Amino acid sequence: MGDSGSISRRTVLRAAAVAGLTAVAGTAGAGTGASAAGGFPQPVTVRRRPVPGRVPSVLEQVLDVRFAEIEVPGHGRITTRAYNGALPGPTLRVRAGDTLLLTHVNGLPPNPAGSGHGPRMPHRPNSFNLHTHGMHVSPSGHADNVLREFAPRAAADGPEPRYRTVVHVPADHPAGTYWYHPHLHGSTAEQLAGGLAGVIVVEGDVDEVPEVRAAADVVVCVNELKLRDGRVPAFTSGAWLAGVPSVFTVNGAVNPVLALRPGEVQRWRLVGATAFTALSLQLVGPAGELTMHRIAQDGVTLPAPVAARTMELAMGNRVDVLVRGEAPGRYELRAERVGQPLLTVEVAGEPVDPPMGLPAALPPGRPPLDERDVTGPDREVLFHVDPGVFPQPFPDAFRVLGSHPTPPAHPGGDLRHDPAYGLYDPDYVNHRLPLGRTERWTVRTGETSPGFNHPFHLHTNPFLVTHRNGTRLDPPVWHDTVGLAGGHPGESVTFLVRYEDFTGRAIAHCHQLHHEDLGMMQTVEYVQD
């Protein structure tokens, strides 16, 4: 990559030392998932620290980002940007009302020359920030503010900068599975392609349901790596992904084996920490399929488990499922259009007798919204690509059109070639969203290829999907990210969203992060009504 020549072996060894110290500190709070799942790899887990005299607790953690050497089975040692020298980063476990106090160390080299700002160009690959994906927390100040920049040192021999994130988790925040990753526009895709991500678990009411509490709690974090010659290639052209096959890991391993006894129930927290590929998942084996019972979508608990043979995981989605061991044998968690299994389940051993149960009902994570409360005109978002309209090396225009596009630079001109129309402008607010208001959005894609997915992600407030492709969902489902595959026509979703609690600027964008870095993003501003 462009700055790879500045990575010294001393830097890599220092990363390993930092990672070792952090792992020792974090493992003391590790959960039971690893042992309950028969040695299945789990990220280092860091738990909340009780504070004397107050009920809410604090979770303090250093997230050290620098180049590290990581072993990827079947692919040897790779050099990549990593949290605390590991893939993925540590799992952070909190409860509603707690505070996350995160110190970020930027141990990366200075940004390469010529990597300045550009709203539709990748840039500043060694700068980052932090997004707590899916969490309903403040987007401003030192919280979930993706408009901040955690820049590296200005000179190779300069001190490593440190930055602070303070996230106050609301007292009524839903229990569920979330994740964190860098979100500095222009560098997000390249950093996610190296596995720079980690899981956040908000513990709460659903964890106390007897059948859920009895199940092993297993994090299944799927990362999608783009590797060439032992490293992530620099994002230097629009054809960056061409010819670079994805390497999928689960908790840093390639096709790890998970042990499950007949009759045993496990709770899997499936995290789609992928940047480019949507995953349509099935558990298949010679003895048939294992049913996955979905209990939460994107961090919000469902009213009751929903049994399914296929589980859709667009880029950024999380799904919590209960899986019960059935006939002994080997089963594979497979994703459509992915060549090898993500993981293998070995159902073996002494059966659990009687078999562990599944809950009949769950404490719903959020009450539904009422369409009768919708005020104001509906909003529309259209993901649209104009190919080959700009000079190389980034010829394609990844636009967000609809009811509030970024204005063209040349009104009345050729919009297909316009260098501003529908492209991200950090100084332009596309949507002003008043607190307390419930609104209806329709999001669709103009892609014609069914394999081309534009997931829509809105920061700060989850949304209730009521229709897909014009058909009403019964019941509607809460999301913070929803996949939109292409076709004739491309897919569409309609959702309701209520803007609550927090003011400030955030973003709505395509979570195919290669597209987001090239301009498929809008600014939203939550304001007092």
Side-chain angles (χ1 to χ4, degrees), residues 135 159 169 241 282 345 387 450 469 485 512 514:
M135 294 190 71
V169 184
L241 298 180
Q282 288 186 313
V345 180
N469 302 325
Q512 210 282 25
H514 172 254

Side-chain angles (χ1 to χ4, degrees), residues 61 70 80 149 440 460:
Q61 177 66 17
I70 294 175
T80 187
E149 178 182 359
R440 181 187 293 109
T460 309

Side-chain angles (χ1 to χ4, degrees), residues 119 185 406-407 420 422-430 505 519 521-523:
H185 178 66
T406 303
L423 297 172
Y424 175 60
D425 180 348
D427 298 319
Y428 182 80
V429 176
N430 299 87
R505 289 192 178 185
M521 184 159 74
Q522 294 186 322
T523 298

Side-chain angles (χ1 to χ4, degrees), residues 40 73 75 220 222-223 246-250 253-257 279-285 330-345:
F40 182 72
H75 301 273
V220 181
V222 183
N223 290 99
S246 293
V247 176
F248 293 93
T249 63
V250 170
V254 174
N255 189 17
V257 176
L279 304 173
S280 182
L281 303 175
Q282 288 186 313
L283 267 172
V284 297
R330 292 176 71 88
Y331 300 81
E332 295 175 342
L333 183 66
R334 285 197 165 269
E336 187 178 347
R337 295 189 297 274
V338 174
Q340 69 180 59
L342 297 177
L343 62 84
T344 296
V345 180

Side-chain angles (χ1 to χ4, degrees), residues 203-460:
E203 301 171 341
D205 51 5
V206 64
D207 306 307
E208 300 306 316
V209 174
E211 295 87 350
V212 176
R213 188 174 64 241
D217 191 334
V218 185
V219 168
V220 181
C221 183
V222 183
N223 290 99
E224 179 180 14
L225 311 180
K226 291 290 184 179
L227 304 176
R228 179 184 287 148
D229 300 325
R231 62 188 66 244
V232 180
F235 194 172
T236 56
S237 75
W240 177 56
L241 298 180
V244 184
S246 293
V247 176
F248 293 93
T249 63
V250 170
N251 300 338
V254 174
N255 189 17
V257 176
L258 187 152
L260 182 65
R261 295 166 59 193
E264 178 192 2
V265 173
Q266 294 178 0
R267 181 219 194 138
W268 296 359
R269 299 180 184 267
L270 297 167
V271 179
T274 60
F276 318 107
T277 303
L279 304 173
S280 182
L281 303 175
Q282 288 186 313
L283 267 172
V284 297
E289 298 178 338
L290 290 180
T291 300
M292 292 177 280
H293 302 266
R294 184 173 58 159
I295 63 170
Q297 173 70 52
D298 285 356
V300 179
T301 307
L302 307 179
V306 177
R309 298 288 185 180
T310 302
M311 206 62 60
E312 303 296 336
L313 211 63
M315 299 81 99
N317 278 151
R318 290 90 54 224
V319 179
D320 286 28
V321 297
L322 297 177
V323 178
R324 181 160 53 196
E326 297 176 7
R330 292 176 71 88
Y331 300 81
E332 295 175 342
L333 183 66
R334 285 197 165 269
E336 187 178 347
R337 295 189 297 274
V338 174
Q340 69 180 59
L342 297 177
L343 62 84
T344 296
V345 180
E346 182 75 48
V347 180
E350 189 70 23
V352 176
D353 189 21
M356 294 172 64
L358 300 171
L362 298 164
R366 279 187 176 273
L369 298 175
D370 193 326
E371 290 186 279
R372 293 171 296 184
D373 294 333
V374 171
T375 58
D378 292 355
R379 297 176 188 268
E380 183 184 39
V381 167
L382 169 64
F383 289 130
H384 172 77
V385 181
D386 285 321
V389 297
F390 297 136
Q392 292 286 356
F394 298 99
D396 301 339
F398 291 89
R399 305 189 194 273
V400 185
L401 305 179
S403 56
H404 294 80
T406 303
H410 308 294
D414 181 359
L415 294 183
R416 183 170 178 267
H417 290 81
D418 192 274
Y421 179 54
L423 297 172
Y424 175 60
D425 180 348
D427 298 319
Y428 182 80
V429 176
N430 299 87
H431 303 270
R432 282 190 167 81
L433 309 176
L435 291 192
R437 183 174 295 181
T438 300
E439 294 188 340
R440 181 187 293 109
W441 295 47
T442 295
V443 184
R444 56 193 178 93
T445 174
E447 298 293 344
T448 56
S449 171
F452 214 94
N453 199 301
H454 286 303
F456 173 83
H457 175 45
L458 176 66
H459 287 214
T460 309

